[in-house]
Amino acid sequence: QLMLGRIGLVLPYAVAAAIGIAFLFGAKGASSIRWAGGGAGIGAMVVVSPEGLAGIVSERDVVRSLHEIGAELLRRPVSDIMTTLVATCSPDDSLDSLSALMTTNRVRHVPVVVNGRLTGIVSIGDVVKTRMEELEREQQQLQAYINQG
């Protein structure tokens, strides 16, 4: 089971706003783009509608769209640039399956979904950090085994 390092949990909007995290809500007319991360290590934001997961917007989506559309982008709904076919995972997915999912779909952020509800998000950094910790533990175990003999 994947042990998550940094995970963006879904919080009530008031709590999220108080700690500087913005969540984007809405269905077809998702609210306008407001990037709340600003150097806080936020590389993607999940768009949630009353029906559930509606899409995801990454920094790359914003930069690419700013290049194509210009400042007008900031007056458009998030739904104009969000990815609606979102690769998701569950908390029980293995590290290997999550790595394969990210590689196959060429994504760096994967929402964690349980029973159709968003419960968090995993970044490629979470995956790499967890894998590095696994490798370090394995190396320590091998070293201990060698030293015993």
Side-chain angles (χ1 to χ4, degrees), residues 73-122:
L73 173 68
L74 301 175
R75 290 182 282 283
R76 292 190 177 185
V78 170
S79 56
D80 283 0
I81 66 166
M82 72 182 184
T83 300
T84 56
L85 187 57
V86 181
T88 63
C89 67
S90 80
D92 298 324
D93 287 347
S94 70
L95 182 64
D96 289 340
S97 69
L98 188 53
S99 295
L101 177 75
M102 289 177 153
T103 301
T104 301
N105 291 285
R106 301 181 53 89
V107 295
R108 302 172 84 176
H109 302 88
V110 177
V112 181
V113 177
V114 176
N115 297 325
R117 293 188 51 102
L118 177 68
T119 60
I121 188 165
V122 181

Side-chain angles (χ1 to χ4, degrees), residues 7-25 48 117-121:
I7 184 165
L9 297 175
V10 178
L11 303 170
Y13 181 76
V15 174
I19 60 174
I21 300 171
F23 290 94
L24 306 173
F25 294 93
V48 180
R117 293 188 51 102
L118 177 68
T119 60
I121 188 165

Side-chain angles (χ1 to χ4, degrees), residues 33 62-63 65-76:
I33 297 166
V62 173
V63 170
S65 297
L66 276 171
H67 174 72
E68 293 170 3
I69 301 168
E72 169 63 23
L73 173 68
L74 301 175
R75 290 182 282 283
R76 292 190 177 185

Side-chain angles (χ1 to χ4, degrees), residues 1 3 16-17 31 44 49 52 58 110:
Q1 181 167 335
M3 298 298 294
S31 60
S49 74
S58 71
V110 177

